[in-house]
Amino acid sequence: MTKKTLPRYFWAACLLVCLLAFGLRLPNLQGYSLWLDESYSAWFSSMSLHDLWSDVPLYEIHPPMYYTLLKGWRAIAGASEAGLRSLSVLASVATVLVLALSGRVLRAGRTGDQVGLLAALFLAVNEGNVNYAQQARPYALETLTATLAILSSLVLLRQLHARAIAPSASPFAVRSLVPAMAALAVTTGATLWLHNTAMLIAFGIWSGLTISLLIFVPRNRMLQVLAIVIPGVAALLIWSPFLPMFLQQNHNMAGMAYWATFRLLDSVQVVRLISGGYLGMSPIILLAPLGLWQLWRIDRVSALHMLIVLVLPLSFMVAYSYFHQPVFVDRLFEWMAPSVMVLAALGVVLGLRRPTWRGAATLVTLAFCLYGTVQFHKRGPYEDWRGWLSRIASEAKQGDLVIFIPNEIDMPLHYYYADKVFPEVLSLPAAFPARGLARRYIGNLGGPGIIPADQALVHAATAGHARVWLVQRGSKLFDPNSIIRAELSSSRKLAEKFGDSNVVIELFD
């Protein structure tokens, strides 16, 4: 193919990859119920901006920025499941486009185009990326902004490296670096606003920049300091209005029981997530290290930077969860998937010399990841609150009482039955958010656990009701001693039971 026809081919390929990504993120967007965390997003995005920025951060553990963006988005796309989730779909497809264009942004020539397009194709069929593209949660947006921040840091790093090896370059000429510095500051600031653990992403990026420059780029230290410090300070300034809330939220978390547990084997789940499923792990764990090695051979500065950006945040979270407080959840590392796909694409394009090997590796990776995505779409909703609440409403009789444990179940009820008839509800120990109670809180300061005193409350509340529905989510966390169920079963018989492994719905009469 000639250079003249390459642009047309390239842009057509970008379009096709983005259309594939978009198509794989559409199935079941409206068909599947919101799960509990998504109902959080629906709940908070329906609040006033004043409450969202003044009251909500006092008990919620996430920044209010995503909920604010979703509030504006739902005014355009609507508050249906598809409307709420479509913001994540667009962010995910945009991330695929960023990967496709990454070679051009880095001015890596035809090889860069090939790597970028292949990485975009891998991400388009990546099961984990498709999963979080279909959730009304901040992870798809965070993946987009983090990918842009990492790409901006690579552009800045390559410019500083080129400046150092060009003897005629002025050591104080900052103007040409300003676009990359500004992009790094803005995208990192945006990432910090989307999730509190994004501090680790920023830490990884600036550690990678610093260490790579110290080891491999010995000249122009003053310019390097300015190029790193200025965007870092700017990113912190962009994020600084949230700092008081961030400190308060971290103080709150220190006094809570967190719902996550941690085992060292959980790190395998991160590899599964960013690789595109269990099948996708097998080619990716071979191709990504091969790609990193090939990058090391041709650009050690960028290779070391990428290694630090990916390994340092994960290592810190593992150590923190193992030695201090278990806050390790695999979805916190979805932002790593695009970078790993780039390394895997490098492994194919540069690491496999024969065209037949490259073709086979590409087809196997795509087939394995696509299989995982198809299976994901077949699995059904993560939590079917729409179906469960509908079943209760349809089977309920006059005078039934429904008990929610935890009180967070108020949120899916509010979303699906705010304007519909539903039986009387008792959320224990009080309606969400139940704040300031002298008891253990799990996950946030609005959802407390059950204590023995709640048994008397349930006894009194159920006295006038012939039938009682008990809806429990995560009972081992919120009512590990089965206090409420024991109270109900002491005087009533179990008539019906349904749900899943984490949500159990029982009818006592």
Side-chain angles (χ1 to χ4, degrees):
M1 183 173 296
T2 65
K3 291 184 178 180
K4 184 177 180 180
T5 60
L6 181 59
R8 184 178 301 173
Y9 156 81
F10 176 80
W11 292 111
C14 285
L15 177 61
L16 289 175
V17 172
C18 289
L19 287 175
L20 173 64
F22 185 68
L24 290 175
R25 285 150 180 79
L26 287 182
N28 305 310
L29 204 63
Q30 179 66 36
Y32 287 167
S33 165
L34 299 183
W35 71 291
L36 185 68
D37 282 19
E38 290 183 288
S39 69
Y40 263 104
S41 300
W43 173 290
F44 289 135
S45 64
S46 68
M47 291 183 170
S48 68
L49 289 175
H50 177 268
D51 289 342
L52 197 52
W53 285 86
S54 60
D55 187 50
V56 169
L58 299 178
Y59 59 91
E60 164 67 342
I61 61 173
H62 296 298
M65 180 59 74
Y66 171 72
Y67 304 128
T68 303
L69 295 173
L70 189 61
K71 181 178 183 64
W73 181 256
R74 65 188 286 169
I76 301 171
S80 65
E81 289 100 332
L84 294 173
R85 291 164 170 164
S86 58
L87 180 60
S88 295
V89 171
L90 292 182
S92 181
V93 175
T95 307
V96 171
L97 179 60
V98 168
L99 286 198
L101 299 177
S102 60
R104 298 215 161 183
V105 173
L106 293 169
R107 298 181 179 180
R110 180 168 179 154
T111 299
D113 285 349
Q114 293 173 339
V115 171
L117 284 171
L118 185 56
L121 187 58
F122 286 164
L123 189 67
V125 301
N126 183 286
E127 176 194 344
N129 198 264
V130 171
N131 182 352
Y132 289 105
Q134 292 204 308
Q135 292 194 24
R137 297 299 290 161
Y139 303 106
L141 271 173
E142 182 190 28
T143 299
L144 172 60
T145 59
T147 302
L148 288 169
I150 294 169
L151 181 59
S152 300
S153 70
L154 281 170
V155 172
L156 180 60
L157 185 64
R158 287 166 63 91
Q159 289 177 343
L160 289 170
H161 187 209
R163 185 70 61 86
I165 61 178
S168 60
S170 171
F172 299 104
V174 183
R175 180 176 299 180
S176 62
L177 304 176
V178 168
M181 293 166 62
L184 178 58
V186 171
T187 54
T188 303
T191 306
L192 291 172
W193 270 107
L194 289 169
H195 203 280
N196 284 345
T197 59
M199 287 292 294
L200 296 178
I201 304 175
F203 178 60
I205 290 174
W206 263 263
S207 296
L209 286 171
T210 302
I211 295 173
S212 299
L213 289 170
L214 284 175
I215 293 178
F216 293 116
V217 189
R219 297 182 57 195
N220 298 347
R221 290 297 186 209
M222 182 58 68
L223 180 63
Q224 294 173 16
V225 170
L226 292 174
I228 293 176
V229 171
I230 290 175
V233 171
L236 290 175
L237 288 175
I238 292 171
W239 177 71
S240 62
F242 182 65
L243 181 59
M245 302 181 203
F246 176 79
L247 296 175
Q248 181 62 49
Q249 287 179 341
N250 278 269
H251 173 74
N252 293 343
M253 282 194 66
M256 289 189 306
Y258 200 58
W259 56 265
T261 57
F262 177 71
R263 302 168 301 168
L264 288 176
L265 286 176
D266 290 341
S267 56
V268 176
Q269 295 301 317
V270 175
V271 179
R272 178 202 62 80
L273 173 66
I274 62 181
S275 297
Y278 285 112
L279 274 179
M281 282 176 58
S282 52
I284 295 298
I285 62 177
L286 296 175
L287 292 173
L290 177 61
L292 184 64
W293 169 246
Q294 294 300 319
L295 184 61
W296 176 267
R297 293 179 60 191
I298 61 177
D299 186 357
R300 294 191 174 188
V301 184
S302 298
L304 181 59
H305 177 58
M306 288 295 295
L307 181 64
I308 293 172
V309 168
L310 294 175
V311 171
L312 192 59
L314 177 61
S315 300
F316 181 88
M317 185 67 82
V318 167
Y320 185 87
S321 296
Y322 186 80
F323 293 107
H324 183 59
Q325 186 179 21
V327 294
F328 189 96
V329 186
D330 60 355
R331 61 177 174 263
L332 300 180
F333 302 96
E334 169 56 26
W335 61 269
M336 296 170 60
S339 297
V340 172
M341 295 304 102
V342 170
L343 293 178
L346 277 167
V348 172
V349 174
L350 298 181
L352 302 177
R353 301 301 182 187
R354 296 183 180 180
T356 53
W357 294 355
R358 292 196 292 268
T362 299
L363 289 176
V364 168
T365 303
L366 291 175
F368 284 3
C369 291
L370 190 58
Y371 176 82
T373 296
V374 171
Q375 294 304 114
F376 161 74
H377 285 307
K378 289 182 176 179
R379 279 196 290 269
Y382 181 56
E383 292 176 352
D384 188 17
W385 289 107
R386 182 174 61 191
W388 295 330
L389 295 174
S390 176
R391 182 170 175 178
I392 293 174
S394 64
E395 296 182 11
K397 296 180 179 180
Q398 184 71 26
D400 281 8
L401 176 68
V402 182
I403 297 177
F404 286 163
I405 303 174
N407 61 355
E408 296 168 312
I409 302 173
D410 284 347
M411 286 177 285
L413 178 67
H414 178 269
Y415 181 77
Y416 286 110
Y417 279 87
D419 302 318
K420 299 179 182 178
V421 177
F422 198 80
E424 180 183 349
V425 171
L426 173 64
S427 299
L428 291 179
F432 185 88
R435 293 183 279 179
L437 303 180
R439 59 179 70 200
R440 183 178 64 119
Y441 282 81
I442 298 95
N444 61 62
L445 290 182
I450 300 300
I451 60 175
D454 294 327
Q455 186 173 4
L457 174 64
V458 171
H459 182 80
T462 58
H465 297 273
R467 305 199 318 167
V468 179
W469 299 82
L470 177 61
V471 184
Q472 296 188 90
R473 181 184 189 271
S475 59
K476 292 182 180 180
L477 288 170
F478 289 89
D479 189 11
N481 297 317
S482 299
I483 294 171
I484 304 306
R485 192 182 189 284
E487 167 61 27
L488 294 176
S489 60
S490 66
S491 58
R492 302 168 187 267
K493 293 182 178 180
L494 178 64
E496 188 176 356
K497 181 177 181 180
F498 56 93
D500 62 17
S501 61
N502 193 46
V503 178
V504 179
I505 302 167
E506 298 172 299
L507 172 61
F508 292 88
D509 63 10

